Amino acid sequence: AQKDTVAKLVQARPVTIYSLSLDAIASPCIDLTVHCSGGTYIRSIARDLGQALGPGACLAALKRTKSGDVNLGDCVPLQDFMESEAIEGKFEDVLLNAQDLMPMPKIEVGAEIIKKILRGQIFEIPASEHAKLPDAEHAQDESYVYVTESGTDKCVCIGVRKKTTPSLIKPEVVLVTNQ
């Protein structure tokens, strides 16, 4: 939070709470475990519980134990990874494929578009790749697209496609450094 600013509440939207369990009480704190759908703001749950109980509430700590198909137990602390022998080998041998973690449509692009991606420029989806993407009419306001180099599985970038400009992709995370 910045000095002299008022926090803006996020607009309510539908989410699913699959389970909420009370794990511990150590007044004035409580420990909860929440299993919820993507897009759920846990801080909002804390705020709402505090309002319902009367005194108000805030989050003292938050730990994500699962995201998609990846559990906390499957992860390695960054420091451990940096000190391991894996750093001396190929990252590809120890890192998960981004598309396995976040299933999303995949398109292939050639060298000219890769040059635009390297400059962070918005690019037009090649005509041959349009069929691989959901129809813009049924797409979300913004959706992610996995962009690979033509003829390979080498990820060039994760791009954002907006419903208002469905034939364009804006590079969001660029994963190549030269071409």
Side-chain angles (χ1 to χ4, degrees):
Q2 295 180 351
K3 186 179 177 184
D4 299 325
T5 62
V6 176
K8 192 166 111 178
L9 295 177
V10 294
Q11 178 127 5
R13 62 179 170 196
V15 296
T16 303
I17 305 299
Y18 302 109
S19 66
L20 187 138
S21 62
L22 177 61
D23 299 332
I25 299 175
S27 189
C29 296
I30 62 172
D31 285 347
L32 300 173
T33 298
V34 181
H35 178 205
C36 57
S37 63
T40 304
Y41 287 97
I42 301 300
R43 287 175 181 81
S44 295
I45 293 174
R47 180 201 64 222
D48 295 349
L49 280 171
Q51 287 175 346
L53 296 171
C58 66
L59 231 49
L62 175 64
K63 182 193 292 186
R64 182 182 303 258
T65 58
K66 185 175 182 184
S67 182
D69 292 331
V70 179
N71 291 300
L72 188 59
D74 298 331
C75 299
V76 176
L78 181 60
Q79 187 65 33
D80 292 354
F81 176 74
M82 297 303 288
E83 293 171 356
S84 75
E85 292 179 19
I87 196 81
E88 296 169 12
K90 294 182 177 180
F91 282 112
E92 294 84 10
D93 294 340
V94 293
L95 298 179
L96 296 171
N97 182 325
Q99 195 170 24
D100 291 339
L101 294 175
M102 304 179 304
M104 63 186 86
K106 178 173 103 171
I107 64 167
E108 294 183 6
V109 298
E112 289 306 310
I113 290 178
I114 291 174
K115 288 177 186 176
K116 289 183 176 188
I117 291 170
L118 289 170
R119 293 190 296 263
Q121 295 176 333
I122 294 172
F123 63 91
E124 188 159 349
I125 299 166
S128 61
E129 300 298 300
H130 277 279
K132 296 179 180 179
L133 299 172
D135 181 33
E137 186 177 313
H138 300 99
Q140 299 175 7
D141 290 341
E142 283 189 351
S143 56
Y144 290 97
V145 178
Y146 190 79
V147 182
T148 63
E149 182 179 356
S150 290
T152 74
D153 278 332
K154 180 180 175 185
C155 183
V156 177
C157 79
I158 306 291
V160 175
R161 177 183 184 222
K162 293 189 176 191
K163 188 174 187 172
T164 56
T165 54
S167 64
L168 301 176
I169 302 264
K170 177 183 182 288
E172 190 75 17
V173 179
V174 177
L175 301 168
V176 294
T177 54
N178 58 27
Q179 184 66 17

